[in-house]
Every structure is written in C-alpha cells, then in structure tokens.
Amino acid sequence: MTSDAFDLYGTRTAEAAPILLQAGALSAELVNGNLRTIRHGGTEVLRAIAYIVRDRDWGTYEPELTELTIDQRDDRFAVGYAASCLGPAGSRLGFHATIEGFADGRLIFDVTALPESDFETNRCGFCILHPIAGLAGSPVTVEHTDGSVVETELPDLIDPWQPFKDLRAITHRVRPGVTAQCRMEGDTFEMEDQRNWSDASYKTYVRPLALPWPYMLPAGEPVRQTISLRIAGDANVAASAAAAEPVRVELGEAGSKLPDIGVVIYPEDVQATLADLPLLARLGSRQLLFHFDPTRGHGLDALRAHARLAAAYPVSTTLECVLACTGDLDAELSDVADMARHAGLRLDAIAVSPAVDRQSTPPGSAWPACPPLDDVYAAARRAFPGLRLGGGMFSYFTELNRKRVPASQLDFITHCTNPIVHAADDLSVMQSLEALPFITRSSRAIFGTKPYRIGPSTIAMRQNPYGGATKDNSRGQRIAMANRDPRHAAQFAAAWTIGYAARVAPAGLEMLTLSSFAGPFGVVAGPGEPVAEGTPRPIFQAIEGLCALAGLTHVCATTSDETRVLALAGRSVSGETIVWLANLTANNVPVDVSVIGQGDLVMSPYAIARVG
C-alpha cells in the first residue's frame, strides 16, 4: 500500500493483520482469534468461523486476547488463546479457545466460556458463514438435531426467515468431487440468510431467535461449543494461479436508464447546504430527499428549512415522512400537509412509513401495533393529492422482505441497506457489495416492475432497527452499527459508492441515494476534520460521477475479478461510453481497459477512475 492510511480510511488505526494458517491444501486467516477466508486448494469453503458475544442491542464485544500460541507445521496447525469480554456493571465473561487444522482437510474450533459473574447477552457462541458466490441456490445436505437428514438447497432468492432450523450439520459441494461438512456441537443452531442485511453470506448461529433475549449466562457455569469442518473427496488439488494478471473490463448489452442520484437532506444540515450552493450545483444531483420525522421533534421549522433549500436549488423533491400512526391517520397526515403548505415546501413526491416499521421484528416476535398499510397509504393519498406516493421501509431490505407492503397503492417502492450491521472490518464492508444483486433481484421478484428506489444507504448507520440506538463512534473506529464511520470521509467510501452503484445498476432503479450533502453522511467535510469545513470529501467525486451518468443508458460492464475491481458503464445519446472503475482493495491493481480503446492502467488502493 502506497497511500497514507488516513487518506484511505479516515483513521490511522490499523486493522489487525491476518495470520495465515496452512496445513496442506487447507488454509485460513486468523483475525482477532477468529477464522476468516477458509479455503481448500484455493477455493473458499467458509467465509468465517467466529466466536461472537453480543450485547443487549446486538452490538459485538471486542474481546481482549491473552496467552496466544500458534504452532504451524507442514501438515497441521494449532492455535490456543484466552479471552474476556467486559459487560455492563463490571460483569465479565472469560473463554478459552483452541483451533486445529490438518492436511487431510479437518478443522476443529473449540471454545469453553466461563462467566465470572452473571453475564447478559443476546448471543454467545459460534457463527459460521457460508459464502454466497457459487453457492446461492446450490444443493446441500442438512442434518437436524433429531438425527434426520434432508437433501435440500440454499435459498436463491433471499429468505426472509430462517431457511434451516435445529441444525447439527450442513454439507455442500466445494468443487467437483470435493465436499465440506460443517458440524456444530454444544447447542442448537439455525441459519439465517444474511443477504437480507447485505452481508455476503448465509449465517449459521447459536441459540434460536425464538428463544428469549437478552438472556443471562449464570456465573460459574461453563458453556462449551465445538465446530468441526471436514473436507472430503478428490485429493488432487489444482495449482494456485501465478502472479495476478491485469483485471479485464468487458462490456455487454445495453439495458435500462441509469438512475437519478438523490441526496438526503436532514433539517439540521440545511443551513450548511445553503451556505455552499455552488458546490451542490457542481455535484449535479437531480433529486433532493427531505427527511422529516415528527416523532423526533421535526415540525414546521424543519419544513421551512427544507422549503428554503427547495427554492434555492430547484430540482425534484421527495419528502421522506415518518408517521407516528398512533391516532387518526387522516388528521396526522393532513397536519403534515398543512405544515408543508404553510412552509411553502415544493414537493414532487412523498414517501411514508410508520415509525414502528423502523424497528425489526425478529423471528418468533410479535408484530408491533400498526394500522393496516392500506389505510396508511390511502390517508397519504387524501392528504397529498397529485403527488407520487412511495412506501416500503426507511430501514433495510430485511424489514421489507419480512413485512411486504401493499405495492398496488404505491407509485414506487423504497428501502435502504447498511453494510455494518454485523461486522465493520474493511473486507466485510466491501464484500457486502456482493449481496446487492440478490437484494434487487429479490425485490423485483416480490414487487415486479414497480418503480424502485434505494437509499439513503451509507457505510455509517443512520438508525438501528435491531436495538435501542446506533453506537456512538466519537473516536472514529471501525464499529458495527455506528452512527459515524471514519471511512465515509476517506477514499474507501468513494470506491464503495461506485461499487454499490455498479452492483445495483442492472435492477433499473429510478433513484439511488448514497449520501447527504453535509453532516456525517455528507460529501463535504464538517467542523473538526483535518481539512477545511466544506472541502469535498473523496466521496464527492464518486457522487458527482454518478450524477453525470444519471439518465444515460446502462451498459452491462463486468470485470474478470469482481472481488478486486467493479465497473459501471453508461452510454450517451451520441454513443459515447463512459466507464467508472472502483478498486475494492488495499493494493495496487492493474486493469486492462482495452475494450474501450485504452491500454492498461494501475489503480491505487480504493481508487476510482473514469475512462472513456
């Protein structure tokens, strides 16, 4: 890596470097005591085996590891360590782990946890991640806790609930003639389709969600769990590829129009946005998405602020309106409409969603009280006649997949995504892009050709459907479910943004929102940053480039290695083809762009580039 770490990540805090463990054809990366990228003969078998402890808001503890030992030999490896998590009111959970891998394809991860005092948790135990690339929709053999064995398939379209429960083992094909069986002992496991949250994995986890949570681990009572992986079949393993060749860009058929790029505006950011209108005009967004939430104190003043910006920057506008839905729906929505008229707010569309639908309803939980959505949408039509009406979820695809809205009453469907619900390391955030085509294809399977919007979707989490609040991140760390993320202000976010747009482009969205203008989700720096307030962040270039593509004909653009480089292409009326590239890695990557009449270029870490 040649670039400054702060320029890349917005922080100089480095992630722990993975330790490569290898025994014959079996390899894995050891990161903070857990295993990642488990391969056999270069093929990814499991994305991770991790021992996870979560708090009552589903935040993940970062255990402190001690007594780490690593014994690496040609035909085996062994790892041992102790760890502990400090919970509320001084409660502490300690555990001891051992990991063994063998050249014959066996891998064993064993953990015994011992609460030093009563310890509250939403989950304490193993999570196993199966990758989705090449596995989605493929055959698997499932063994249940009662000993029954079922031949079935991993879901292709995203399953809103758990595809498999009461799990003891699952076997899948690694490559022709080679299978992998993952066996789970010590508790009852079940699988959820993590593509719901834009994770690029199927997750098998401990403790069924239908059981109460949070729950208490009693002091002094040990809890042991063991994960065993056995890879069997043809011992002949193809040699690994030599030095990587340049990633090739390939262009295919033309499709639908590329979407408008929205910018979400929060009332508290209006003044900063108005202060820099020339930069907003340079950005070129054709859509402003005004956030309005009376349940959090927004009222006439917030709508007046939005009206000032709508008058100063005359593009299409949508009001993202959260509804309390605790009384008369006509009265509530008429009140919003009256305030909007009084404020002089010019609107082209409104999207509405009940406040309770921002919170997730996990499997086994009762749906919260909410009026029928048919009634909500009908009241919105009466209050805002003549405006386009949108609905769906202001949270994530998970909630939309589980509570499928009556789309016949709507002019468009909307939802968001967030890449740090479960993990916030750099690799997991970039890998989340792999799940986006499954999300858009699953949405289309539910809602057909209904006009479709996504966003605001940002690396940082704007609200937490799975707990009481987002995690404060004033120290600028890589934290799951955080309300701020240092990478948003760095080059990392620019690459993630172009990659996001590339992954969803085939879905034919009418609007995609990946930033605000100012504030923690914005394209310009705020107060207290190392650069001057109002200076464009690296994501500005990405959003500006996407705005310039809006309305152009999407041209299918693929690369020979989409884990490293993604491509997005648009064609103008005059026939000019413009391609944006994003390097998703922390390494320099050579790219072959001869398909559009240019030679090779070398992309620096997390760089974006316009060619054509």
Side-chain angles (χ1 to χ4, degrees):
M1 180 170 23
T2 58
S3 300
D4 181 83
F6 192 87
D7 294 337
L8 295 180
Y9 305 109
T11 175
R12 289 196 169 86
T13 300
E15 288 189 315
I19 299 170
L20 180 63
L21 305 172
Q22 192 148 9
L26 177 68
S27 67
E29 294 179 350
L30 180 69
V31 181
N32 295 328
N34 293 316
L35 296 180
R36 186 180 71 182
T37 316
I38 301 161
R39 300 179 186 273
H40 188 265
T43 301
E44 187 176 32
V45 177
L46 295 176
R47 185 138 283 185
I49 304 176
Y51 192 81
I52 301 295
V53 184
R54 296 197 185 276
D55 63 24
R56 66 178 299 115
D57 289 322
W58 293 102
T60 303
Y61 288 104
E62 292 289 341
E64 178 184 353
L65 271 60
T66 58
E67 305 173 29
L68 175 65
T69 62
I70 301 175
D71 181 13
Q72 175 75 71
R73 305 181 187 181
D74 290 342
D75 62 346
R76 65 180 293 272
F77 57 79
V79 177
Y81 63 86
S84 63
C85 300
L86 183 64
S91 60
R92 184 181 294 272
L93 174 74
F95 57 93
H96 186 269
T98 60
I99 303 170
E100 294 181 286
F102 304 90
D104 63 5
R106 288 178 298 132
L107 177 66
I108 303 167
F109 196 157
D110 181 88
V111 173
T112 298
L114 184 65
E116 298 177 13
S117 55
D118 288 352
F119 191 88
E120 183 186 64
T121 182
N122 276 1
R123 175 173 296 153
C124 177
F126 279 108
C127 292
I128 302 100
L129 305 183
H130 283 77
I132 59 176
L135 283 187
S138 67
V140 292
T141 302
V142 170
E143 179 183 335
H144 294 287
T145 54
D146 63 2
S148 62
V149 177
V150 178
E151 300 294 333
T152 183
E153 294 179 349
L154 288 166
D156 181 20
L157 296 177
I158 300 175
D159 196 316
W161 307 108
Q162 300 100 321
F164 309 130
K165 296 183 178 181
D166 300 323
L167 279 173
R168 182 60 66 224
I170 182 168
T171 304
H172 75 277
R173 191 181 81 157
V174 176
R175 57 182 178 272
V178 178
T179 61
Q181 183 191 74
C182 184
R183 181 167 293 274
M184 299 144 281
E185 305 285 354
D187 208 324
T188 299
F189 287 74
E190 61 188 21
M191 177 186 281
E192 67 186 11
D193 194 336
Q194 279 210 133
R195 297 174 298 172
N196 275 295
W197 295 270
S198 75
D199 296 70
S201 59
Y202 302 98
K203 180 171 73 177
T204 302
Y205 55 91
V206 76
R207 189 171 169 97
L209 285 174
L211 296 175
W213 46 267
Y215 59 98
M216 197 69 70
L217 297 176
E221 294 189 13
V223 180
R224 182 180 181 183
Q225 296 172 22
T226 306
I227 305 300
S228 302
L229 178 67
R230 180 180 293 274
I231 300 170
D234 188 354
N236 295 320
V237 177
S240 299
E245 297 179 351
V247 174
R248 299 184 310 280
V249 178
E250 299 175 355
L251 298 181
E253 296 297 319
S256 57
K257 299 294 185 183
L258 287 166
D260 278 355
I261 302 301
V263 172
V264 64
I265 304 293
Y266 298 96
E268 62 269 25
D269 296 328
V270 168
Q271 194 56 44
T273 306
L274 284 168
D276 215 343
L277 281 176
L279 201 58
L280 177 61
R282 175 182 145 193
L283 188 69
S285 174
R286 302 178 185 179
Q287 298 273 358
L288 295 180
L289 178 62
F290 293 127
H291 182 70
F292 181 69
D293 185 356
T295 71
R296 297 185 179 178
H298 295 166
L300 181 58
D301 287 344
L303 293 174
R304 282 174 170 160
H306 287 324
R308 289 196 296 273
L309 182 55
Y313 188 70
V315 295
S316 294
T317 57
T318 299
L319 186 68
E320 181 188 56
C321 182
V322 178
L323 300 174
C325 292
T326 54
D328 183 88
L329 290 172
D330 283 307
E332 180 179 3
L333 280 151
S334 293
D335 186 49
V336 175
D338 289 343
M339 284 193 292
R341 282 191 291 270
H342 188 69
L345 176 58
R346 174 186 53 79
L347 291 173
D348 297 290
I350 181 170
V352 298
S353 184
V356 296
D357 283 348
R358 292 181 304 184
Q359 293 304 116
S360 180
T361 301
S365 302
W367 291 97
C370 182
L373 291 178
D374 285 307
D375 295 348
V376 174
Y377 299 154
R381 286 283 190 200
R382 290 190 289 271
F384 292 91
L387 293 188
R388 296 186 72 219
L389 175 64
M393 295 291 159
F394 295 163
S395 52
Y396 309 129
F397 174 75
T398 318
E399 287 66 57
L400 183 62
N401 200 18
R402 291 176 172 174
K403 187 175 182 179
R404 300 181 178 186
V405 303
S408 61
Q409 294 201 47
L410 299 172
D411 296 308
F412 60 88
I413 296 292
T414 185
H415 69 81
C416 310
T417 69
N418 183 262
I420 60 169
V421 173
H422 294 113
D425 61 280
D426 297 333
L427 180 61
S428 294
V429 171
M430 282 302 185
Q431 285 179 334
S432 71
L433 300 176
E434 295 177 22
L436 296 175
F438 291 97
I439 288 177
T440 55
R441 190 157 58 85
S442 297
S443 293
R444 287 298 190 199
I446 299 167
F447 299 110
T449 58
K450 180 71 65 175
Y452 180 17
R453 300 182 177 189
I454 292 181
S457 297
T458 55
I459 296 175
M461 179 180 273
R462 65 172 185 160
Q463 68 100 28
N464 181 5
Y466 315 110
T470 55
K471 298 295 182 183
D472 180 61
N473 193 17
S474 56
R475 295 175 58 194
Q477 304 298 303
R478 297 170 175 88
I479 300 174
M481 297 188 180
N483 55 11
R484 292 173 179 263
D485 192 287
R487 291 164 294 194
H488 182 86
Q491 191 62 42
F492 186 99
W496 182 83
T497 297
I498 293 294
Y500 194 114
R503 286 294 197 182
V504 301
L509 304 179
E510 72 168 28
M511 179 171 157
L512 175 63
T513 303
L514 297 172
S515 75
S516 60
F517 181 77
F521 310 106
V523 296
V524 296
E529 295 187 29
V531 296
E533 185 175 356
T535 300
R537 293 166 168 162
I539 193 176
F540 185 100
Q541 183 189 8
I543 298 295
E544 183 182 28
L546 296 180
C547 289
L549 288 178
L552 271 60
T553 299
H554 174 236
V555 177
C556 178
T558 59
T559 72
S560 58
D561 188 349
E562 295 192 333
T563 67
R564 291 194 290 162
V565 176
L566 285 175
L568 173 68
R571 183 169 294 152
S572 68
V573 175
S574 65
E576 178 190 15
T577 299
I578 299 168
V579 181
W580 277 92
L581 303 172
N583 178 2
L584 309 181
T585 77
N587 303 306
N588 292 329
V589 177
V591 183
D592 175 3
V593 288
S594 57
V595 69
I596 51 175
Q598 300 188 26
D600 290 356
L601 60 89
V602 177
M603 299 189 71
S604 57
Y606 302 117
I608 61 175
R610 180 188 185 275
V611 292

